[in-house]
Amino acid sequence: VNPLENNDNEDNEDNENNEGEGYDFIKEYNIPPECLFNFLRTIGDNYISTNPFHNELHAADVLQTTHSFLEQMNAKELPGVQKLHYFSLLIAAAVHDVGHPGYNNNFQSNASTKLAITYNDKSILENYHTSLAFRLILWSDKKKRKKRRQSDFSNNSSNDITTTTTNCSNDDVGDDDEFNIFQNMDPKQYQDCRQMIIQAVMGTDLASHFIKMGIMKDMPPSSSWDITDNNNTATTTNNKSKDYKRLSWEILSFMMHVADISNNAKIRPVAVQWTDRILEEFFLQGDKELEMKLPISPLCDRRCTSRPESQLGFIEFIIKPSFKVLSKQLPQITTQIMPIIEKNYQFWQEESEKEKKKDEKQQPLSSK
């Protein structure tokens, strides 16, 4: 089921049993169904399918994981959360890596690519993803909009997609709404939605991970938030409502970031597949860095990176703490997700032992 799609169907004989399911965004924001489909197709088309990891499958995985957090972990029930929050969040999940060139921020900065120069070495790709997404949605020229990222990665003498730039002018902004899922929102609603999408995508930059972790650690559990108005005044109620919206959005934004790095929170066959995909993409980057005589980024050197050790470290220092701090707000994580993470951690420990034994057997041969 497409989590962005309207599931309302009066002719469905099971409709009464399905009451409460779906988001009903099409009706709420008056989105023409064909426009929504066009938007999803053009976003999918602008992911680079040849990337081992950062492709349209990864986008779909993060979108589905975010949806699962909202529904199965009851994130929709956080105090102050409104439909615009999770609409913005799901759109952000869909577009969060659109146009990813397969080489990370560290590479972009070290290689002084045009993307790095354009975005001043600050959350380079995250800035690019949000910019590309809104250009795809809002720019009027259909020929320019189709495969928009191709224009970002072309007209370059080296034909290297990592040394690309974007060309944006006011002449490209128009009234064609074929892809504009925001076309029937009022101006404030659209601006609020746009800012939340930007914030959520920018929050996927691992460089800001520990800052966000600090915010989440300091935040009291939502179950302890005082939602009563003891003073019984409109001003107090309004202030509390704003606080809850702000705090809940911090949780939702962090939740999408966790969805983005949740490979090892999936069942083992899925976790292993994503692990192999991300390492292959890292190694391709390392090969490119070696070729260009750049510093080889962490985990990108296929000659010395241990597959299991890379996952053990990431689980121990990033995955476990992230899900633990999120479980303070979404308690179901403790029983439904943490055990999967523990099993995967044990699996990678076993794989590490196998790797060490294999290396020990090969050591005498290499020393001769």
Side-chain angles (χ1 to χ4, degrees):
V1 176
N2 182 347
L4 297 175
E5 198 170 292
N6 179 8
N7 290 336
D8 186 22
N9 184 355
E10 295 180 355
D11 297 328
N12 188 346
E13 62 183 6
D14 296 324
N15 191 54
E16 291 183 1
N17 295 329
N18 293 330
E19 186 177 357
E21 295 183 359
Y23 296 105
D24 208 19
F25 291 144
I26 286 179
K27 181 179 179 181
E28 179 74 17
Y29 301 115
N30 194 18
I31 306 171
E34 186 176 356
C35 173
L36 176 58
F37 299 146
N38 289 338
F39 159 75
L40 292 171
R41 289 190 190 102
T42 197
I43 291 298
D45 286 346
N46 279 273
Y47 276 88
I48 300 178
S49 59
T50 54
N51 286 343
F53 184 85
H54 289 105
N55 53 40
E56 62 273 23
L57 293 177
H58 170 64
D61 178 67
V62 174
L63 176 60
Q64 179 62 33
T65 304
T66 302
H67 162 67
S68 297
F69 275 134
L70 287 169
E71 291 288 351
Q72 293 177 287
M73 303 295 117
N74 292 333
K76 287 170 61 177
E77 307 305 319
L78 289 168
V81 169
Q82 298 178 336
K83 183 168 285 191
L84 189 64
H85 288 124
Y86 43 91
F87 174 75
S88 304
L89 195 73
L90 290 168
I91 296 298
V95 307
H96 82 282
D97 273 329
V98 65
H100 197 295
Y103 301 142
N104 66 21
N105 283 338
N106 197 51
F107 177 95
Q108 303 295 328
S109 184
N110 286 339
S112 294
T113 65
K114 290 185 179 179
L115 287 179
I117 301 303
T118 299
Y119 298 111
N120 298 317
D121 291 329
K122 302 295 184 183
S123 299
I124 300 164
L125 292 177
E126 290 74 22
N127 271 300
Y128 174 59
H129 302 321
T130 51
S131 173
L132 175 59
F134 279 97
R135 284 185 288 137
L136 288 166
I137 295 168
L138 301 176
W139 282 16
S140 61
D141 188 322
K142 296 179 184 178
K143 291 182 180 179
K144 287 184 179 180
R145 182 188 285 116
K146 187 177 182 182
K147 292 285 186 181
R148 170 63 65 181
R149 63 161 171 81
Q150 291 184 351
S151 67
D152 296 333
F153 297 151
S154 62
N155 299 323
N156 188 298
S157 58
S158 68
N159 292 320
D160 184 352
I161 63 170
T162 61
T163 56
T164 60
T165 188
T166 59
N167 295 310
C168 179
S169 68
N170 292 333
D171 294 337
D172 291 304
V173 180
D175 298 324
D176 182 7
D177 290 326
E178 183 183 357
F179 295 77
N180 187 359
I181 56 174
F182 311 116
Q183 61 186 271
N184 291 315
M185 286 184 173
D186 65 60
K188 185 181 185 308
Q189 195 175 47
Y190 164 68
Q191 286 299 328
D192 288 346
C193 181
R194 171 171 156 79
Q195 290 307 310
M196 284 190 283
I197 292 170
I198 293 171
Q199 290 166 13
V201 175
M202 297 299 287
T204 62
D205 186 354
L206 273 172
S208 64
H209 171 78
F210 292 103
I211 295 174
K212 294 178 75 70
M213 280 288 292
I215 293 172
M216 292 298 296
K217 285 179 180 178
D218 292 340
M219 190 181 298
S222 59
S223 58
S224 70
W225 296 358
D226 181 11
I227 59 175
T228 60
D229 181 8
N230 296 325
N231 296 323
N232 197 28
T233 64
T235 300
T236 303
T237 301
N238 186 51
N239 289 338
K240 282 188 175 182
S241 177
K242 288 181 179 178
D243 286 342
Y244 297 147
K245 286 181 183 178
R246 178 180 58 80
L247 293 173
S248 291
W249 176 248
E250 287 282 359
I251 295 170
L252 293 181
S253 179
F254 182 76
M255 186 183 77
M256 196 191 91
H257 164 56
V258 171
D260 188 31
I261 59 174
S262 65
N263 300 335
N264 273 297
K266 311 289 173 63
I267 58 174
R268 184 183 304 169
V270 177
V272 171
Q273 180 182 133
W274 284 122
T275 294
D276 290 339
R277 284 175 172 268
I278 189 62
L279 285 177
E280 179 55 25
E281 189 166 299
F282 283 168
F283 293 158
L284 290 173
Q285 174 176 315
D287 295 344
K288 188 68 175 178
E289 289 169 327
L290 192 62
E291 176 189 333
M292 296 176 65
K293 299 181 180 179
L294 295 172
I296 299 180
S297 300
L299 304 181
C300 292
D301 193 337
R302 65 173 74 242
R303 300 167 300 179
C304 59
T305 298
S306 165
R307 177 171 172 261
E309 289 298 324
S310 69
Q311 300 310 294
L312 287 171
F314 197 70
I315 292 173
E316 183 174 357
F317 295 108
I318 302 295
I319 298 295
K320 280 185 180 179
S322 297
F323 276 90
K324 183 177 180 181
V325 76
L326 190 57
S327 70
K328 189 168 67 171
Q329 309 298 340
L330 307 175
Q332 295 90 331
I333 286 175
T334 302
T335 55
Q336 296 187 38
I337 300 181
M338 293 303 293
I340 297 175
I341 296 174
E342 290 296 337
K343 287 182 180 179
N344 285 333
Y345 189 77
Q346 292 172 8
F347 168 75
W348 290 117
Q349 283 181 317
E350 293 168 2
E351 291 296 296
S352 179
E353 289 301 315
K354 291 178 184 177
E355 186 178 78
K356 290 175 182 177
K357 289 180 180 179
K358 182 179 178 181
D359 290 343
E360 288 173 359
K361 289 181 179 180
Q362 292 178 343
Q363 188 63 36
L365 293 176
S366 62
S367 63
K368 289 181 180 180

